[in-house]
Structures are given as C-alpha cells and as structure tokens.
Amino acid sequence: MEQTDVLIVGGGIVGLATAYQLTLRRPGTSVIVADKEAEPAAHQTGHNSGVLHSGIYYKPGSLRAKNCRSGKLLMEQFCAAEGIPYDICGKVIVAIGENELPGLERIFERGKANGVACEIIGRERLTELEPHTAGIRAIHVPEAGIVNYRAVCLRLVEKLTAAGGRFVGNARATAMRQETDGVAELTGAGEFRAKLAVNCTGLHSDRTTRLSGTEPDVKIVPFRGEYFELKPEAKHLCRNLIYPVPDTNFPFLGVHFTRMINGHIECGPNAVLAFAREGYRKRDISLRDLAETLTYPGFLRMAKKHWRTGFGEMWRSFSKGAFVRALQRLIPEIRSEHLERAPAGVRAQALTRDGAIVDDFVIREHGRVVNVCNAPSPAATSSLQIGLSISALLEPRL
Ligand SMILES: Cc1cc2nc3c(=O)[nH]c(=O)nc-3n(C[C@H](O)[C@H](O)[C@H](O)COP(=O)(O)OP(=O)(O)OC[C@H]3O[C@@H](n4cnc5c(N)ncnc54)[C@H](O)[C@@H]3O)c2cc1C
C-alpha cells in the first residue's frame, strides 16, 4: 500500500491543476494523481474546443463567472511562463436577426457585470473582423483566446513530477474507505492511503462521489458533441471564434466556429445523448450507462420537456445537410463540400432528479474527501482557480 498526503482521482485538467496549486502553495506535500486511463487528459479535457473563455455568459456572482475570470488570467500567466502556445485572438457573438438583439444585449450586460472587456459592434466592424459572417450586430470580445489544454496538462504532469509527486495511469478507483486518520483507496494500480483525497472524475463524478460514502444529488448524463472541421480551401471563411447568441435554456447548444491553436477550424457541436459515458462514436454503447440514464427520473423529465430541441440535435447528427444549414446561419457561404468529420467530445451534464440542468460548478467536502461533483465548461479555462480553491480547502487539514 502506497502512502501519500493527497490522492487526486482523475487526471483531467481539474485534477492536475489542483495537484499543481497544492504543491506550489505547500511545497513538500506529497501528491499522487491516479487516472483510470494510461495518459492524462483522456476525456473531456483532451476533447474540448480549446477556448480560453472570457466569462461573458455566466450569471454574475456564480462560481463559473468568478472562477472563469481569475482562472483565465492564471492560465494565460501559466502558458506565458511555460512557453505553451496560446493566442488571445478575440471572439464575436453574432445576432443574425432583430429577434436576437434582446438576447445579445443581455449577454453584453452580463459581460459588463463580470468585468469582461467587450463592445457591441455594428455590421461594418463585424465585417472587418470576420468578413464572411452574416449578422446585423455582434459583441466583440477581444480578450477571448485559444490554447491546447492537453498540452497544458502534459506540462502540469511535468510540474507535479518535478515537485516530487506522480501521475499514475491505469488506476481506476473502485473502492474508497474513509478512516479516522485517512482515506484508503483501491485502484487498478494498487491500493493508496492518503490523509486527504479529491475526486475530479468528470463524466464519472457521481459514481466517485458515491464511492466516498455519500449519495450524489445529481446524475451525470453524457451528451456527445459532434463536430466537422473546415477543409484547407475553406479555412479563410473563419478567422477566429464566431458564436451565435445562445438559447438561455441551453446555453451550451448552438453551432459555432472555433479556430484551434493548431490552425484547424472546428465547426459544431450538436449535442446528442451518448449511449455510453465515453461514447465518442454513435456505435459506442454501455448497457449500464444507458440503463442508468433512461431510468433516471431527472432525464425523463428533461426529455419530456425538451424533446423538440433533442430531436433537432439528433436530426443534425444524422443529416449533414441539416448540420450545414445550421452553420450557414453564421457563415452563409459554407457548403457541405467544405466540411470533413472531426473527433467528437462527450460532455458531462449534471441533472437533478427533477430534471433541472446544473450549470454551475459544484464542489463538496465529505469527511476527508473533496468531491468535484460538477465541472462543466468553462472548467478548463477556470481550472487553475478551481485548483487554488480546492487547495485552500485541503491545506488547513494537512
Ligand atoms: C466538447 C467539449 C468542448 C469543450 N470546450 C471547452 C472550452 O473550449 N473551454 C473550456 O474552458 N471548457 C471546455 N469544455 C469543458 C471542459 O473541457 C471540462 O469542463 C473540463 O475538461 C473538465 O475537466 P475535468 O478534469 O473535471 O474532467 P475530465 O477531463 O473529464 O477528466 C476526468 C478524469 O477522471 C478520470 N476518471 C474517471 N473516473 C475515474 C475513476 N473511477 N478512477 C480514476 N480515474 C477516473 C477520467 O479518465 C478522466 O481522465 C468543453 C467540454 C467538452 C466536452
């Protein structure tokens, strides 16, 4: 049995950022990050869009708004200090018709309340920034940016190793026992004993919360986001980040264009129910995961209420034509032949039993374990700040 001060379960960006902040704030603390996969950042972190979000969308005062603002700054500083490429390229949020102007105005007000540098621009300025986009008015957010979060994670692992800790792969946590002076955790790579543990397991956060000895108050339902990317001959159609005015009920829906730091331009996503928590392809099915989703009252309530939206998303999953039409709202010149399939991502969507979408970060302590129960977008942008907050919870107890 290996002994450590802190065991972090989950080597996505939240777990690794927590390990980094802890070893920085309290040098000499021994930290092990255990992940069920061989490599870090294998799931949400390694399949995301790589946007450094500004924090414009989030409710003022929410954990997402606060953590995104300071987390983005910390992430930029980290990347600058470590020589990790990032680009503060700016973003436009585009209103296509008059009916979207009140929504645009609401986001602008939120942006101002959250301290985001942003301005409303007219058609002429929009055309200067993104010559191929439609739209009558937009919000320009010059401080939004892009980065490769997987690259950030690999550097965080190096930092952890240099601080005397380590990343352990193939170490799925299967059991956890809280004792008076520590936590014993059984994983695929052996048993660990720690003074304190942190679960940052993304798509499995409800399950590891249960392992820690408390019943989670949400269920994670996986939604696959499917993407296309622009072929080289069509890349000129998008310079940076072009987003629609989001639907307030489903802020994560709405296809957009994202330039990645490697120069690819991602188009999408739609959002369809994944039949497995790590169901990156339509044919990936886990009977356990699917049965849990389909028997969960919260999912059934949400599906009943929003089935029309759900069908629209599914239709775009099966019909490239429908996907292209959604993209054409933002860039009318896009044609089907400009697009090729790109890898999908699966989002951990936390739902309550009454069918409500939990959109803020949720971090709860249970005995000697801190459970990160919900870390949706922009958790990658915010990760270094989330890690700082978790470290502050752990430090006095070490
Ligand atoms: C398609 C998509 C696009 C996104 N775009 C952005 C963006 O542009 N900007 C942004 O800020 N955010 C974005 N997000 C959100 C962001 O990626 C996530 O919020 C963030 O990566 C969450 O990090 P995490 O460490 O909590 O989870 P994850 O990255 O999912 O990591 C969890 C880890 O836990 C491990 N694990 C699970 N169960 C166990 C177990 N029992 N034992 C051991 N290990 C376990 C998994 O293998 C995994 O490595 C996006 C998300 C998606 C899905």
Side-chain angles (χ1 to χ4, degrees), residues 229-279:
E229 66 180 26
L230 292 184
K231 288 183 182 168
E233 64 270 23
K235 277 189 180 171
H236 65 283
L237 295 174
C238 167
R239 287 188 180 161
N240 292 304
L241 309 173
I242 308 175
Y243 279 58
V245 177
D247 174 343
T248 38
N249 287 323
F250 299 101
F252 52 88
L253 292 186
V255 292
H256 47 259
F257 293 83
T258 309
R259 175 164 70 81
M260 315 285 283
I261 200 82
N262 64 6
H264 291 209
I265 295 178
E266 193 183 75
C267 320
N270 62 347
V272 289
L273 179 67
F275 296 162
R277 294 211 181 186
E278 283 139 19

Side-chain angles (χ1 to χ4, degrees), residues 100-144:
E100 291 182 346
L101 292 179
L104 193 78
E105 193 59 41
R106 263 196 305 276
I107 293 172
F108 180 62
E109 292 305 324
R110 276 198 172 181
K112 280 198 299 187
N114 289 337
V116 177
C118 55
E119 60 168 341
I120 298 261
I121 56 172
R123 172 85 201 137
E124 202 177 324
R125 176 77 181 123
L126 176 59
T127 317
E128 279 169 22
L129 292 167
E130 292 289 354
H132 299 276
T133 191
I136 54 172
R137 207 173 294 169
I139 303 172
H140 181 214
V141 192
E143 62 161 278

Side-chain angles (χ1 to χ4, degrees), residues 319-334:
S319 159
K320 187 175 178 188
F323 207 108
V324 174
R325 280 194 293 284
L327 293 171
Q328 282 171 336
R329 288 192 76 239
L330 288 174
I331 302 185
E333 288 167 62
I334 292 282

Side-chain angles (χ1 to χ4, degrees), residues 79-226:
C79 293
E82 296 293 326
I84 297 170
Y86 71 102
D87 183 1
I88 302 302
C89 57
K91 156 178 177 173
V92 286
I93 303 168
V94 180
I96 303 297
E98 298 279 336
N99 61 331
E100 291 182 346
L101 292 179
L104 193 78
E105 193 59 41
R106 263 196 305 276
I107 293 172
F108 180 62
E109 292 305 324
R110 276 198 172 181
K112 280 198 299 187
N114 289 337
V116 177
C118 55
E119 60 168 341
I120 298 261
I121 56 172
R123 172 85 201 137
E124 202 177 324
R125 176 77 181 123
L126 176 59
T127 317
E128 279 169 22
L129 292 167
E130 292 289 354
H132 299 276
T133 191
I136 54 172
R137 207 173 294 169
I139 303 172
H140 181 214
V141 192
E143 62 161 278
I146 51 176
V147 68
N148 180 336
Y149 288 112
R150 194 194 290 267
V152 171
C153 285
L154 295 180
R155 187 58 54 84
L156 289 171
V157 170
E158 282 173 27
K159 291 281 191 195
L160 173 64
T161 312
R166 67 191 183 102
F167 171 84
V168 183
N170 301 312
R172 177 193 291 270
T174 50
M176 191 181 278
R177 196 175 60 250
Q178 296 216 33
E179 297 166 348
T180 45
D181 58 347
V183 184
E185 185 127 2
L186 190 63
T187 80
E191 195 169 342
F192 296 90
R193 205 167 186 292
K195 290 183 191 153
L196 300 168
V198 186
N199 285 328
C200 311
T201 54
L203 286 150
H204 298 265
S205 67
D206 49 350
R207 290 175 179 165
T208 50
T209 296
R210 190 170 293 119
L211 285 186
S212 76
T214 179
E215 200 49 34
D217 44 18
V218 295
K219 162 93 57 203
I220 296 296
V221 175
F223 281 92
R224 186 173 55 250
E226 295 164 328

Side-chain angles (χ1 to χ4, degrees), residues 302-324:
M302 187 196 75
K304 192 170 163 200
K305 194 164 164 205
H306 300 295
W307 61 270
R308 211 181 284 274
T309 311
F311 274 121
E313 294 296 316
M314 271 159 67
W315 175 232
R316 273 190 287 284
S317 173
F318 286 98
S319 159
K320 187 175 178 188
F323 207 108
V324 174

